[in-house]
Amino acid sequence: MKEIKLFWLCVGEFFSSLGMSFIWPLASVYLHDRLAIPLSIIGIVLLFNSLASVFGSYLSGILYDRSDPYRLLLAGIIFAIAILTLLIFFNGWIAFSILLFCIGIASGWNLTLVNSIATSIHSKDGRQVFMNIYFAQNLGVVAGT
């Protein structure tokens, strides 16, 4: 398998972090201000979003060892885009909460795959690889918020 370039892995991680940094504040404001959901319930919804991310990470970690990482990453990206597209059309209280759970799975899935794929980059020092990914991830969070 051809080695992925570190630059493109960092670009992907940047945009993933950028998008995910929108989720919690935007979801909180939308659910509270537009749908009049109490903040305590929103906290529970976001807790399930985080738990879904853990589940997605666990699942993709298992599948990484058994399948083609490139196809798994593409599947995760397509899954995330499909969920975000559904959020445009189905944004009522229950549908939004369920789709937020699903986007949590997709985000955990993709984050774990990026880190797993990073372990296969042998042309650079491992510390440099993960430092660059960590930097891109944090830059995305800063830019997103």
Side-chain angles (χ1 to χ4, degrees):
M1 185 170 132
K2 187 176 176 184
E3 183 178 280
I4 191 168
K5 301 277 187 208
L6 177 59
F7 174 77
W8 293 114
L9 198 61
C10 288
V11 167
E13 185 57 33
F14 170 78
F15 282 111
S16 178
S17 294
L18 179 78
M20 289 314 298
S21 67
F22 283 125
I23 293 293
W24 284 24
L26 214 56
S28 297
V29 169
Y30 176 73
L31 288 170
H32 185 264
D33 292 352
R34 300 289 281 170
L35 300 179
I37 305 299
L39 289 174
S40 57
I41 302 297
I42 294 169
I44 293 170
V45 169
L46 294 178
L47 168 70
F48 280 105
N49 173 264
S50 290
L51 291 174
S53 181
V54 171
F55 174 72
S57 293
Y58 179 75
L59 187 61
S60 69
I62 290 172
L63 292 175
Y64 177 80
D65 294 330
R66 299 181 180 144
S67 188
D68 179 23
Y70 177 74
R71 290 180 193 263
L72 289 172
L73 191 56
L74 281 178
I77 292 168
I78 291 168
F79 183 55
I81 290 171
I83 294 165
L84 293 172
T85 303
L86 286 172
L87 275 169
I88 294 170
F89 302 106
F90 302 102
N91 48 26
W93 157 232
I94 299 299
F96 189 84
S97 299
I98 292 169
L99 290 172
L100 202 59
F101 181 84
C102 293
I103 199 67
I105 293 171
S107 68
W109 176 282
N110 290 330
L111 178 65
T112 298
L113 284 173
V114 165
N115 287 323
S116 299
I117 291 170
T119 64
S120 68
I121 298 176
H122 299 295
S123 61
K124 306 244 188 250
D125 181 45
R127 292 173 294 192
Q128 179 187 6
V129 170
F130 283 99
M131 189 269 309
N132 285 332
I133 288 174
Y134 182 72
F135 180 77
Q137 184 180 33
N138 284 309
L139 191 62
V141 169
V142 168
T145 53

